């Protein structure tokens, strides 16, 4: 959240807002592979985190790699 607030503050006058991206590590999966139905302990509520980042003025994104899966 600290970084999202900094990004939003630095870009407060731009129409094309930069993304604040949650990178690999948010999901509870082996080696970054899917399916990504569960989140890691440090990211218990992704919808709330994204909403909080948007409320701070940042655009949100979640990193995924749809071609890497483990069955």
């Amino acid at each position: 959240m600290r970084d999202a607030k900094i990004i939003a503050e630095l870009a407060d006058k731009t129409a094309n807002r930069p993304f604040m991206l949650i990178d690999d590590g948010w999901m509870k999966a082996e080696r970054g592979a899917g399916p990504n139905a569960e989140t890691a302990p440090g990211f218990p509520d992704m919808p709330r985190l994204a909403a909080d980042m948007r409320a701070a003025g940042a655009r949100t994104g979640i990193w995924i790699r749809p071609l890497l899966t483990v069955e």
Side-chain angles (χ1 to χ4, degrees):
M1 278 305 304
R2 181 194 70 196
D3 291 346
K5 290 175 183 176
I6 290 169
I7 290 295
E9 184 180 318
L10 291 173
D12 69 341
K13 299 199 181 352
T14 61
N16 186 14
R17 310 290 293 170
F19 277 96
M20 185 67 213
L21 183 71
I22 303 295
D23 202 350
D24 189 14
W26 65 267
M27 65 266 200
K28 186 178 180 180
E30 192 175 313
R31 297 183 322 273
N36 300 321
E38 296 181 63
T39 59
F43 300 92
D45 189 345
M46 293 300 282
R48 180 175 175 198
L49 178 58
D52 289 348
M53 288 178 166
R54 282 191 302 272
R59 290 172 66 189
T60 57
I62 297 176
W63 183 93
I64 63 167
R65 186 173 178 190
L67 300 177
L68 178 64
T69 62
V70 174
E71 297 193 28

